Amino acid sequence: MNDSKTRKIIHIDMDAFYAAIEQRDNPELRGKAIAVGGSGGRGVVMTASYEARQYGVRSAMPSVTASRKCPHLIFVKSNREKYKYASDQIRKIFYEYTDLVEPLSLDEAYLDVTENKTGEKYASVIATEIRARIYEVTGLTASAGVSYNKFLAKIASDINKPNGQTIIRPDQADAFLESLPIEKFHGIGKVTAGKMRDMGITDGKSLKSVDLNALVSRFGKAGRHYYHVVRGIDAREVKPDRIRKSVGAEHTFLKDIDSLEGLKDELGKVVERLLERLGKVDRKGYTLTLKLKTSDFQILSRSYTGETALDNRGILTETSDILLDNADIRGRSYRLIGLQISNFRGDTEDDDSEQPRFDFT
Ligand code: TTP
Ligand code: MG
C-alpha cells in the first residue's frame, strides 16, 4: 500500500449544490434564502442556500422547522434530472485531468492527480483550474481540499466553503489535526463524538494521547482508523467509479419497543433517513430489506424485491409497512429497526429476470 506522503489528492464538493442550480436557473431566487425540498407537513429540506443557512436552515431538517427558523424561506421543488445533468458535466471535467476519479455523490468526488493528464506539478493549481472550469461550464461554484490523502483532502474542502480551497501540506498536517475539534473528523458522528468527549477526547491532540488498544476496545475497527487518521495516516486509494452495493438507514431506540404501532412510528423516520441517503447516491435499487434487532440481540430480517425501482417515499413507506406487518413481531421487544436498499441495477447479470418477491429469513 502506498502510505507515503507523496500522493496528491483533491476532494471537490459543489457549494449548496441543488440550491445553487435553482438560483442559477431562476434569477429571482438569487441572493435569497431558499430551500430545496417539499414545504408540506412531511417535507424535508434537501439543501439550503447559504443565505438560508445564516438562519440555521440545514439539510435533512423538517421543512416546518426550517420555516420557523427563517420565515421568509422560499421552498423550491427538487428537479433531479437537472442535478444529474450538472453532475455529469462536472465529472467530465474531472476526467480531463485524471482517470482516478471516485465520485461520492452527485456533487462530490476524490481525484488522485499524482500522475495527471496535464503534467501540472502542483495539485493546488489543478484544483484552482478545475473550479474555474466548473464555473465556466456550469455557472456553479465548487470548493476543493488538497492534501496527500483522502481524509485530509475531504476535511480541507470544507474549510473555505463556499467557493474556496484549502491545501494541507505534509508538514502542516500534525499541527492541523491536533487542533481539530473531534466533531470535525470525517467519520466521527455525533454519537461517537459524545462517547469521545466522555473519555476526555475533545480534539486531535487528546485523541492522539489515547493508545491503539484503548481505541480498539472502545470503538472496534473504527478505533484503529481514528488512531491512524489523527496521525495523518490514511492509505485508502482513490477508487475509480466505486460500485455501491447497498444504502441503508437504521435507528436504535432509547427504550426497547414491543408494539406494532411503536415500531411503525420509528419505521417512518427510518424511511425518511433512507430517502435522504438515496438522494445522495445516484443508483436505483430493487430490493428493500427490513431489519429488526430484538432486545436480546437476535436479528430478524424481511425483504422484498420489486419489478420497479424502490425509489420514492410512497413505495418505500408502503413496502416497509408490509414487511413489518409480515414480520410477526409479537411476544418480543426490539432495540433497533433498519431498512436497506440493494440490488442496484447493473449489479448482477440476471437483473432482468427478477420477479417481485418477499423474502422471509
Ligand atoms: P452536500 O454536498 O452535503 O451539500 P450542499 O452541496 O448542498 O452544500 P455544501 O456547500 O455544504 O456542500 O450535498 C449535496 C447535495 O445532495 C445537496 O445539494 C442536496 C443533496 N442532499 C440531500 O438530498 N439530502 C441530504 O440530507 C444532504 C446532506 C444532501
Ligand atoms: Mg456540496
Side-chain angles (χ1 to χ4, degrees), residues 13-17 107 161:
D13 190 319
M14 302 296 289
D15 303 320
F17 189 48
D107 90 319
K161 232 179 195 315

Side-chain angles (χ1 to χ4, degrees), residues 13-18 46-47 50 53 59-60 107 161 276 280:
D13 190 319
M14 302 296 289
D15 303 320
F17 189 48
Y18 295 3
M46 299 168 100
T47 194
Y50 276 79
R53 291 182 197 196
S59 287
D107 90 319
K161 232 179 195 315
E276 274 159 37
K280 294 210 75 180

Side-chain angles (χ1 to χ4, degrees), residues 20-298:
I21 291 175
E22 298 304 335
Q23 288 181 320
R24 177 196 66 185
D25 295 348
N26 181 354
E28 283 181 13
L29 299 175
R30 289 184 202 157
K32 301 218 172 115
I34 75 160
V36 175
S39 58
R42 306 246 291 165
V44 175
V45 173
M46 299 168 100
T47 194
S49 63
Y50 276 79
E51 293 85 352
R53 291 182 197 196
Q54 286 175 1
Y55 295 83
V57 179
R58 296 282 179 272
S59 287
M61 182 179 272
S63 300
V64 283
T65 312
S67 294
R68 203 177 320 122
K69 285 182 182 285
C70 178
H72 57 285
L73 185 64
I74 302 169
F75 282 90
V76 183
K77 262 212 217 133
S78 71
N79 182 340
R80 202 175 161 70
E81 258 154 48
K82 247 173 23 175
Y83 312 149
K84 175 77 169 72
Y85 186 80
S87 178
D88 288 345
Q89 288 180 304
I90 64 171
R91 273 184 208 170
K92 278 207 189 93
I93 295 170
F94 300 155
Y95 289 115
E96 291 170 14
Y97 293 84
T98 174
D99 287 328
L100 291 178
V101 176
E102 180 179 338
L104 297 174
S105 67
L106 287 184
D107 90 319
E108 201 187 332
Y110 289 114
L111 281 68
D112 185 328
V113 296
T114 317
E115 310 278 337
N116 65 76
K117 296 181 185 178
T118 67
E120 169 59 55
K121 194 164 92 187
Y122 295 108
S124 56
V125 172
I126 296 178
T128 307
E129 230 182 272
I130 289 177
R131 290 174 42 240
R133 286 276 295 134
I134 289 177
Y135 188 73
E136 188 180 288
V137 172
T138 67
L140 302 167
T141 63
S143 296
V146 180
S147 197
Y148 59 89
N149 67 38
K150 285 166 119 178
F151 181 78
L152 287 164
K154 169 104 184 165
I155 295 180
S157 70
D158 229 23
I159 295 176
N160 279 315
K161 232 179 195 315
N163 199 16
Q165 73 182 52
T166 303
I167 174 165
I168 301 175
R169 295 192 184 82
D171 61 329
Q172 300 167 322
D174 274 344
F176 172 79
L177 287 163
E178 285 190 2
S179 65
L180 197 67
I182 215 69
E183 288 77 13
K184 296 264 180 187
F185 277 72
H186 180 64
I188 296 186
K190 267 193 196 142
V191 175
T192 306
K195 287 179 188 165
M196 287 196 174
R197 287 200 174 261
D198 290 345
M199 293 165 75
I201 303 172
T202 54
D203 56 14
K205 189 166 197 250
S206 43
L207 174 57
K208 228 174 174 175
S209 70
V210 183
D211 68 34
L212 179 62
N213 285 339
L215 286 174
V216 171
S217 67
R218 187 74 179 87
F219 301 106
K221 226 173 101 182
R224 182 175 296 277
H225 178 68
Y226 305 148
Y227 180 86
H228 286 115
V229 293
V230 75
R231 287 167 175 75
I233 300 168
D234 175 13
R236 288 174 302 156
E237 299 195 357
V238 173
K239 291 198 200 88
D241 285 322
R242 184 173 64 155
I243 304 284
R244 255 194 125 109
K245 292 287 180 199
S246 67
V247 175
E250 51 184 39
H251 180 56
T252 303
F253 316 132
L254 291 173
K255 243 180 86 193
D256 291 356
I257 295 180
D258 58 11
S259 73
L260 186 60
E261 289 71 21
L263 288 173
K264 279 214 167 148
D265 281 350
E266 297 295 339
L267 190 58
K269 295 181 209 159
V270 175
V271 166
E272 291 306 320
R273 237 180 262 180
L274 182 64
L275 278 164
E276 274 159 37
R277 297 205 175 146
L278 279 172
K280 294 210 75 180
V281 298
D282 183 30
R283 313 292 305 278
K284 284 184 184 300
Y286 288 71
T287 298
L288 178 70
T289 303
L290 168 77
K291 178 171 106 178
L292 286 161
K293 199 187 272 179
T294 63
S295 46
D296 54 348
F297 292 87
Q298 308 264 12

